[in-house]
Amino acid sequence: MIRLAVVALALAFVALPAAAQDLAASCRAEAQRGLTQACQAAIAREPRDPALHALLGEAYFASGFYGDGLQAFRQAIMVSNGAAEYRYRYAGYAALINEYPQAAAELELLVKTEPDHVKAWTLLADCYRYMKDKPQAVRAGRRAAELGDAAEAYALGVRYGSGDGVPADVREELRWLERAAKSGYVAAMQELARLYAEGAPGLPADPVKQHQWEDAARKAMKY
């Protein structure tokens, strides 16, 4: 399951006239039910408000009109002058309907302006995996891991263990697995326990560390 970090953002409508505020509130409420009329009316009154365009996009998606939804998100990006939050939301919804190249293109623009946007890198790595572009998936996944994504750190460790897209390197395997495990990622703890139980070229078996990671995994699964 792709980890689509589609963000539920708090959208504020500041200093709008009462009628516009009412339309914005109606847009919020109706978008959740897949209704677009209130959002369209609100946009007619406030065409430069990107939040309204994004809500219209959500309404279209809720009602199954995906192409219209992406167009509305595209408009949100345009009127916000390329704000990261709207690029990210566009990419998330594009990925939901398997439009991975479109999502990836938007995410690449996002990370150029916000290189520490960990969720964007994570989603970008997922998009490239579905596109079967291994070098780009490794690049994006590595950056997400560097920024603290435990799942991507685990995936990178596994890659180093198998030589999948990177040179096999047990030291790098251990480094990334331990980073993920110390962030509480149970699968990384279990993989470390297996690795220390079996050993590997350049890494002798270590029953003490094996049991330490087994215990850590059991404790983590209790919570």
Side-chain angles (χ1 to χ4, degrees):
M1 179 70 69
I2 192 166
R3 290 162 296 151
L4 305 175
V6 178
V7 186
L9 297 168
L11 304 175
F13 298 88
V14 181
L16 293 180
Q21 290 181 19
D22 290 343
L23 281 173
S26 297
C27 173
R28 291 170 186 265
E30 291 192 6
Q32 297 176 1
R33 295 183 287 146
L35 302 175
T36 62
Q37 186 173 355
C39 290
Q40 290 169 337
I43 289 169
R45 183 180 287 270
E46 297 291 337
R48 301 296 300 173
D49 190 329
L52 293 174
H53 290 283
L55 283 170
L56 179 60
E58 292 175 5
Y60 275 128
F61 263 81
S63 58
F65 293 95
Y66 304 137
D68 290 331
L70 288 183
Q71 184 57 40
F73 282 115
R74 173 66 63 197
Q75 193 66 22
I77 294 169
M78 291 177 60
V79 300
S80 70
N81 295 317
E85 64 186 78
Y86 298 111
R87 290 196 189 280
Y88 183 64
R89 290 168 76 173
Y90 173 94
Y93 277 98
L96 275 175
I97 58 171
N98 303 329
E99 293 290 349
Y100 301 116
Q102 288 180 241
E106 207 60 52
L107 290 165
E108 290 286 7
L109 292 172
L110 193 166
V111 298
K112 282 183 180 179
T113 59
E114 294 199 15
D116 293 341
H117 196 305
V118 60
K119 290 183 178 179
W121 284 109
T122 299
L123 180 55
L124 186 57
D126 280 329
C127 288
Y128 282 130
R129 288 189 191 102
Y130 279 90
M131 293 162 66
K132 301 188 185 303
D133 188 334
K134 188 174 292 185
Q136 294 291 1
V138 172
R139 175 183 69 91
R142 181 187 297 277
R143 183 60 180 150
E146 291 169 347
L147 291 169
D149 187 291
E152 291 297 339
Y154 166 74
L156 187 56
V158 171
R159 283 188 183 279
Y160 275 112
S162 63
D164 180 21
V166 296
D169 186 328
V170 71
R171 292 182 182 275
E172 286 294 290
E173 179 184 12
L174 282 175
R175 182 165 81 93
W176 290 107
L177 288 176
E178 287 178 356
R179 187 164 177 169
K182 289 175 181 177
S183 296
Y185 202 74
V186 174
M189 300 175 195
Q190 293 170 331
E191 185 63 17
L192 283 166
R194 183 199 64 76
L195 193 57
Y196 281 118
E198 299 176 1
L203 180 72
D206 188 329
V208 174
K209 290 185 177 180
Q210 171 196 346
H211 294 310
Q212 286 176 344
W213 285 116
E214 287 174 344
D215 290 341
R218 280 194 293 269
K219 289 176 182 177
M221 287 189 289
K222 290 179 181 179
Y223 299 99

